[in-house]
């Protein structure tokens, strides 16, 4: 499992962000777009209550392009080659758009351009709810926590719940809690399998709680609506109580054993094709890069286990080699997807010509 920051560092950063972020729900007609000489873009809200123009993150640029139905490739070409043309395009469509987008800002930058129906289930509130619950498991450990530009992750392992897959190969129960404040997925609580032999983590995405960031429209008048943190977290208390119950269920012996048995069954799947061909099919099916495919292949061969179980562990082991934490976690999720494959799907991987 890829290492993140310390728990105290996570808490400090969440607290810092709490005092720095602010959300604006504003008519598109009050938003003005400018491209600077260096290619960076800024959004200015033409209202007296707002500060200086906000720099726009790459993610927010993609969301703005999508909102205005401008193909991203064309948006980026204009940004780098014809910035004045980009500004004319964006500002023209903003003036004709009747929507009231939510601009989520942090540290003076627009980090997301979202619908005003986006429901803010924020990282600080989630951590404030989940961490005390996990703290009640006295023998548990926070194996990895991280806060990236797009998501928060809390990965927790409970060593007393363990299962021996084969002699000397022990896995332990855990959970992963994830959330995105910028529109990249739901809030989710998912079971986690932690393999001691190589510190791999596998996320069982089939059994989870998910909460979409979709609610009622915010800001119904014609002016600017500014949301501070105490407003944003007001109606989510009931949901965070549900999170508490799901955390306990995900860390139950019954849930853990079911997932461990599914993983153990992959030991009986022989990879009859060459490892190179098997990984190439895997790469194409799950849109891995050539470098990522080579990394998985390397761990599959080094592990010396040419079975479905060996492939699952090669995928999750490779996650530790990935520099980007978000992408590394996607490999842990991929491991969980593999143990859910049908016999037909495994045959396509294991016996590919």
């Amino acid at each position: 499992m890829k290492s993140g920051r310390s728990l105290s560092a996570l808490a400090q950063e969440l607290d810092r962000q709490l005092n720095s972020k602010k959300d604006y729900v504003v008519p598109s007609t009050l938003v003005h777009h400018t491209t600077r000489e260096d290619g960076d873009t800024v959004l200015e809200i033409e209202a007296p209550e707002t500060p200086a123009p906000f720099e726009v993150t790459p993610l927010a640029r993609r969301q703005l392009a999508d909102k205005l139905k401008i193909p991203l490739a064309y948006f980026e070409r204009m940004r780098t080659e014809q910035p004045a043309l980009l500004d004319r395009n964006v500002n023209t469509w903003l003036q004709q758009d009747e929507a009231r987008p939510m601009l989520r800002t942090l540290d003076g930058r627009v980090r997301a351009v979202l619908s005003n129906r986006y429901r803010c289930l924020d990282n600080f509130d989630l951590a404030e709810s989940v961490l005390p619950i996990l703290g009640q498991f006295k023998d548990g450990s926070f194996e990895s926590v991280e806060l990236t530009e797009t998501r928060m992750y809390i990965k927790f392992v409970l060593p007393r719940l363990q299962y021996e897959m084969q002699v000397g190969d022990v896995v332990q129960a855990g959970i992963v809690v994830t959330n995105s404040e910028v529109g990249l997925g739901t809030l989710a609580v998912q079971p986690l399998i932690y393999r001691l032999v190589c510190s791999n983590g596998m996320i069982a995405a089939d059994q989870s709680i998910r909460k979409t960031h979709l609610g009622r429209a915010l800001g119904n008048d014609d002016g600017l609506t500014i949301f501070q943190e105490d407003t944003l977290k007001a109606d989510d208390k009931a949901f965070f109580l549900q999170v508490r119950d799901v955390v306990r269920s995900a860390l139950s012996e019954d849930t853990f054993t079911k997932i461990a048995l599914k993983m153990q069954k992959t030991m009986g799947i022989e990879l009859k094709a060459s490892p190179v061909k098997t990984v190439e099919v895997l790469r194409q099916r799950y849109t891995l890069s050539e470098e990522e495919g080579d990394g998985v292949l390397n761990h599959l061969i080094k592990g010396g286990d040419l079975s479905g179980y060996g492939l699952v562990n090669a995928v999750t082991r490779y996650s530790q080699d990935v520099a980007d934490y978000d992408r590394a976690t996607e490999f842990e999720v991929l491991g969980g997807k593999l143990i859910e494959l049908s016999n037909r799907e495994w045959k396509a991987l294991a016996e590919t010509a």
Side-chain angles (χ1 to χ4, degrees), residues 5 10 13 17 106 111 123 145-153 179-182 184 323-327 329:
R5 66 182 77 199
L10 174 70
E13 179 60 14
Q17 290 189 7
L106 173 68
R111 56 181 179 146
N123 295 331
V145 299
E146 187 56 279
L147 189 63
T148 70
E149 286 194 0
T150 57
R151 289 180 176 86
M152 179 179 72
Y153 302 88
N179 187 47
S180 173
E181 295 184 334
V182 291
L184 293 184
D324 181 79
Y325 194 97
D326 294 308
R327 185 60 174 160
T329 301

Side-chain angles (χ1 to χ4, degrees), residues 19-229:
N19 297 311
S20 177
K21 59 189 178 184
K22 190 176 292 185
D23 295 341
Y24 300 85
V25 174
V26 57
S28 293
T29 53
L30 295 182
V31 180
H32 185 79
H33 182 277
T34 304
T35 306
R36 293 174 173 167
E37 290 185 1
D38 60 3
D40 288 342
T41 57
V42 298
L43 287 178
E44 181 177 4
I45 301 174
E46 297 176 342
E49 300 93 336
T50 57
F54 299 98
E55 294 183 3
V56 184
T57 66
L59 170 63
R61 279 204 300 267
R62 293 200 300 271
Q63 292 171 332
L64 178 63
D66 183 64
K67 168 182 165 54
L68 299 179
K69 297 181 174 60
I70 301 174
L72 180 60
Y74 183 51
F75 187 103
E76 287 300 296
R77 183 181 179 187
M78 287 189 290
R79 184 176 67 85
T80 57
E81 299 179 17
Q82 294 288 338
L85 178 61
L86 173 62
D87 293 340
R88 286 198 299 274
N89 270 272
V90 171
N91 290 320
T92 296
W93 292 118
L94 283 173
Q95 288 302 310
Q96 296 185 21
D97 193 344
E98 297 180 355
R100 295 173 54 85
M102 174 184 285
L103 305 181
R104 305 211 79 185
T105 72
L106 173 68
D107 298 334
R109 300 192 304 163
V110 174
R111 56 181 179 146
V113 179
L114 302 167
S115 164
N116 67 339
R117 295 188 65 215
Y118 183 83
R119 188 177 185 184
C120 302
L121 299 169
D122 280 355
N123 295 331
F124 184 93
D125 304 323
L126 179 60
E128 192 175 48
S129 173
V130 168
L131 293 180
I133 298 169
L134 296 177
Q136 294 174 10
F137 295 91
K138 301 302 182 184
D139 55 339
S141 63
F142 293 90
E143 286 298 323
S144 182
V145 299
E146 187 56 279
L147 189 63
T148 70
E149 286 194 0
T150 57
R151 289 180 176 86
M152 179 179 72
Y153 302 88
I154 299 172
K155 298 175 183 178
F156 180 83
V157 173
L158 193 59
R160 64 177 166 82
L161 287 182
Q162 58 183 28
Y163 186 92
E164 191 169 49
M165 309 297 286
Q166 56 189 353
V167 176
D169 187 357
V170 175
V171 296
Q172 296 176 340
I175 64 164
V176 56
V177 182
T178 60
N179 187 47
S180 173
E181 295 184 334
V182 291
L184 293 184
T186 59
L187 185 160
V189 179
Q190 300 165 292
L192 173 77
I193 296 290
Y194 184 65
R195 187 176 182 226
L196 298 185
V197 170
C198 49
S199 301
N200 286 357
M202 187 198 74
I203 297 171
D206 64 312
Q207 301 190 30
S208 62
I209 180 175
R210 293 184 179 274
K211 182 68 172 179
T212 58
H213 292 258
L214 186 64
R216 58 184 174 82
L218 300 174
N220 295 317
D221 56 27
D222 294 329
L224 171 70
T225 305
I226 305 174
F227 289 98
Q228 303 282 7
E229 281 306 300

